[in-house]
Amino acid sequence: MTLFSHVTIRARLILAMALSLVLLVAIGLSSLDALATVDRATKDLYARWLPAVHELSEIKYVMASHRLRFIRAILTPTLDEQAVVFDAADRRRSDVAELSRAFSSRLSDPEETQRFADAMAAWEVYLTEERRIRDGLASRSPSDIAALVNGPSRLAFDAVYAAINRAIAFYNSGADRSGADAVATFRQAMRLNLTLFFFALVLMAAFVVIVVRSIGRPIERITETMRRLAEGDRTVSVAGLEGSNEIGRMAAAVDVFRNYLIERDAARAALERAYEDLEGKVEARSSELRVANAALKAEVDERDKANRQLKSMQEELIRTENLAVIGQLSAGIAHELNQPLAALATLSQNSVRFLDLGDEATVRENLDRIVRLVDRMGILTSRLRSFARRTGAEREVIDLGRSVENALALLGHRHDREHMRIVLDPSETPVLVHANAVRIEQILVNLISNAFDATRGTTDAVAVIAWRAAGGCAALTVTDNGPGFAPDILTRIFEPFFTTKSKSGGGLGLGLAISADIARVYGGSLTAADAPDGGAVFTLTLPLADASGGAEAPVGESS
């Protein structure tokens, strides 16, 4: 007490802060040195290894996209549509060349250069197989083409994938090494910082003990005085602690506070008398508010119940419209299944006869055709079953291109019967949205069916389906060359139960209204307009899925 009696509490705290600052500076310098080391260790991770893995993965994806378009092209029956798909495949091949040039231009390490060169050499071998298939496409049978695609072409493409994966594994190994170096450096720095922090704690603890002991007794006396003042004793005092340091000023403040309490007690007595009068008035008003609050709560509960009933009816209405569409498709689906079934019966009978004749090659060929027909029926029934299943508001990341394919597969019987030409104008890259696949396919089936209905009787009927991604949104348009909309129809096209179809056509006027509601649920919209060159155009917009597979949930979501 005597050693520090001439030192103010402020000076003692400044000394403690100075010592703490010295230790903090030491810890900071140690941390800066560790950060510099970690920065050097992680520079390769983020400037060399991870970008290379990303670029190789993108090249791998574009290669796979090219192969899918090439296979789709050689399986397309009409020459016009085949040329369109071949052009799309050629564009993906050009993208591979451009990405490869950009990637190889940044390579300096011989091993990296050699690994990438091996992958691109395998890619050239695969392209040679593609050219051989394409050059002889007109003269080969479907079975020969399938054998080439699943044989040498598939093996060559697997070799490309293996080479690319080896290159990616090389870069992943480098990334692991860089990460391990960074972690080791960080752990060493943490051990040093913890040691310095331990010494800082010991020093601070020793200083705190000295400070507490030098000011503890005066503080205890002031604390006891404050406690007794709080208990109502107004006779207690802190006489004897006067002085110019902080303790003396605290003692003077306690005396001032005691005088204030004496004055406050007198004011409180007067206030309590006024409060008793006010309390009766507040209780009466509170009783009135409780009654009003109970009535308001009952009204809120009733509104919540009505909202739940409305949501349930909306879900059931979408389900009903979905089943109505399936009912309209049932005749065509039955026709689609009858043809393969008839072919299965014929092929089975022929296989029995050829088996009796010992012609195993023909029997094997018939069995292969039977397998393909069964696969075709399985795909059709699985799509119909998926379309018909009960679904809620659950979301997933879906590809609009895949949804268009599924919708067109369900309407294939109408395309064969009504001969409306369908032109697809897809985006160069997949357009991904965060929605429910069955609900989006329900919208597309409705829009494409309307295009069939609108172009019935039109010479050279055509519908163009295009989808793009721009400005954070996906936009899909269905344009036909039918008669378009009359002004009075365009203003009412999305009203429930409004339809331009005859009663025999089975239209209830709910399809477009429900489709617009579904689009709004997922944060998008569905609009209709006259096409510039005649006909009608429907535009479906939806928010794009973000990098994590999510999207901003719309306000007031319901299904």
Side-chain angles (χ1 to χ4, degrees):
M1 182 70 180
T2 305
L3 181 62
F4 293 98
S5 60
H6 63 285
V7 181
T8 64
I9 296 176
R10 179 181 299 176
R12 301 170 194 176
L13 294 177
I14 291 175
L15 178 61
M17 291 176 62
L19 293 174
S20 301
L21 183 60
V22 170
L23 290 174
L24 287 175
V25 169
I27 294 174
L29 292 176
S30 173
S31 299
L32 288 176
D33 181 67
L35 288 176
T37 305
V38 171
D39 180 69
R40 289 192 298 272
T42 56
K43 184 178 293 182
D44 283 346
L45 178 65
Y46 292 102
R48 178 183 178 188
W49 304 116
L50 295 183
V53 170
H54 174 74
E55 293 179 15
L56 285 174
S57 299
E58 183 177 5
I59 292 173
K60 179 179 174 183
Y61 166 76
V62 176
M63 287 177 175
S65 177
H66 164 78
R67 175 169 172 80
L68 290 176
R69 282 171 169 78
F70 178 79
I71 294 174
R72 180 183 171 190
I74 64 176
L75 297 178
T76 301
T78 62
L79 295 179
D80 292 340
E81 295 179 355
Q82 188 180 74
V84 172
V85 182
F86 269 131
D87 288 341
D90 292 339
R91 287 195 297 272
R92 302 308 282 169
R93 183 178 61 194
S94 299
D95 292 341
V96 172
E98 182 178 351
L99 292 173
S100 300
R101 285 193 297 271
F103 181 76
S104 61
S105 66
R106 293 189 291 273
L107 295 179
S108 58
D109 184 76
E111 184 175 359
E112 296 179 38
T113 303
Q114 183 60 43
R115 288 178 180 273
F116 186 68
D118 292 342
M120 296 313 299
W123 174 247
E124 290 300 327
V125 172
Y126 168 72
L127 292 180
T128 301
E129 290 295 331
E130 274 194 359
R131 287 191 290 270
R132 186 163 67 89
I133 295 173
R134 188 169 179 178
D135 291 341
L137 187 62
S139 61
R140 290 191 175 99
S141 64
S143 59
D144 293 337
I145 294 174
L148 289 174
V149 170
N150 296 320
S153 175
R154 179 58 180 270
L155 294 176
F157 191 76
D158 289 344
V160 175
Y161 251 44
I164 291 290
N165 288 335
R166 286 194 296 271
I168 293 176
F170 171 76
Y171 286 106
N172 283 333
S173 177
D176 292 340
R177 290 195 302 273
S178 297
D181 292 341
V183 170
T185 303
F186 180 77
R187 288 178 177 173
Q188 182 178 1
M190 285 298 296
R191 286 194 294 270
L192 178 60
N193 288 344
L194 287 175
T195 301
L196 293 174
F197 184 71
F198 172 75
F199 283 115
L201 288 179
V202 171
L203 181 61
M204 289 298 297
F207 190 82
V208 166
V209 170
I210 296 174
V211 171
V212 169
R213 291 185 62 183
S214 65
I215 63 176
R217 292 178 181 177
I219 293 297
E220 288 178 359
R221 182 175 174 184
I222 292 174
T223 302
E224 177 64 19
T225 301
M226 293 294 292
R227 184 186 65 80
R228 292 176 62 182
L229 287 174
E231 291 176 352
D233 185 0
R234 303 296 183 254
T235 62
V236 67
S237 176
V238 288
L241 295 180
E242 297 81 1
S244 59
N245 60 9
E246 290 88 348
I247 298 297
R249 291 194 292 272
M250 289 175 62
V254 170
D255 283 337
V256 172
F257 181 66
R258 181 175 67 89
N259 296 332
Y260 164 76
L261 290 179
I262 293 173
E263 296 174 357
R264 191 195 66 176
D265 290 343
R268 177 181 293 175
L271 183 63
E272 286 178 352
R273 290 191 296 270
Y275 177 75
E276 290 176 357
D277 295 336
L278 181 62
E279 188 176 20
K281 298 178 181 179
V282 171
E283 180 61 28
R285 182 59 178 165
S286 297
S287 177
E288 296 176 359
L289 290 177
R290 283 193 293 270
V291 174
N293 186 54
L296 181 60
K297 184 177 183 300
E299 183 178 353
V300 170
D301 292 340
E302 186 66 24
R303 288 179 179 270
D304 289 341
K305 180 179 178 181
N307 286 333
R308 289 193 297 270
Q309 292 176 347
L310 177 60
K311 181 178 179 181
S312 176
M313 287 187 290
Q314 286 176 336
E315 291 177 351
E316 192 60 30
L317 185 60
I318 293 174
R319 170 71 173 171
T320 302
E321 175 65 15
N322 201 351
L323 294 177
V325 173
I326 294 173
Q328 295 172 2
L329 297 176
S330 60
I333 297 298
H335 179 70
E336 287 286 318
L337 293 177
N338 283 335
Q339 288 181 335
L341 288 173
L344 286 175
T346 302
L347 290 172
S348 300
Q349 293 173 359
N350 291 341
S351 297
V352 173
R353 295 191 183 96
F354 283 116
L355 188 61
D356 293 337
L357 296 175
D359 190 351
E360 296 182 358
T362 303
V363 172
R364 184 176 292 106
E365 181 179 355
N366 286 348
L367 291 176
D368 289 339
R369 295 176 64 186
I370 289 173
V371 169
R372 289 195 295 272
L373 289 172
V374 171
D375 290 341
R376 175 184 170 188
M377 291 190 296
I379 292 173
L380 184 60
T381 55
S382 66
R383 284 173 174 166
L384 185 63
R385 184 170 59 252
S386 175
F387 188 78
R389 75 174 185 267
R390 180 179 297 274
T391 179
E394 64 274 8
R395 301 182 181 212
E396 57 187 331
V397 177
I398 62 174
D399 185 349
L400 277 185
R402 178 63 60 83
S403 297
V404 171
E405 292 177 1
N406 292 340
L408 290 176
L410 290 172
L411 294 170
H413 64 285
R414 292 199 65 175
H415 183 264
D416 296 338
R417 185 178 69 249
E418 300 184 22
H419 304 292
M420 180 185 73
R421 185 163 57 93
I422 297 177
V423 178
L424 298 182
D425 184 13
S427 173
E428 293 185 358
T429 57
V431 179
L432 306 179
V433 297
H434 198 236
N436 183 275
V438 175
R439 295 283 171 86
I440 298 303
E441 290 172 16
Q442 183 177 354
I443 296 176
L444 296 178
V445 167
N446 198 300
L447 297 182
I448 298 171
S449 296
N450 286 344
F452 275 108
D453 295 335
T455 58
R456 186 178 292 124
T458 301
T459 303
D460 193 19
V462 63
V464 179
I465 305 175
W467 57 96
R468 295 287 188 274
C473 290
L476 183 145
T477 59
V478 179
T479 308
D480 62 63
N481 62 343
F485 298 109
D488 58 333
I489 292 177
L490 190 58
T491 58
R492 302 181 59 196
I493 192 69
F494 292 108
E495 292 182 5
F497 303 106
F498 176 78
T499 179
T500 59
K501 301 176 183 178
S502 62
K503 294 183 178 180
S504 60
L508 296 177
L510 291 174
L512 289 177
I514 291 176
S515 297
D517 285 341
I518 294 173
R520 282 192 292 271
V521 164
Y522 299 116
S525 63
L526 178 64
T527 59
D530 287 319
D533 298 329
V537 56
F538 286 90
T539 302
L540 171 65
T541 60
L542 293 168
L544 290 173
D546 56 23
S548 61
E552 294 185 1
V555 178
E557 176 179 329
S558 63
S559 296

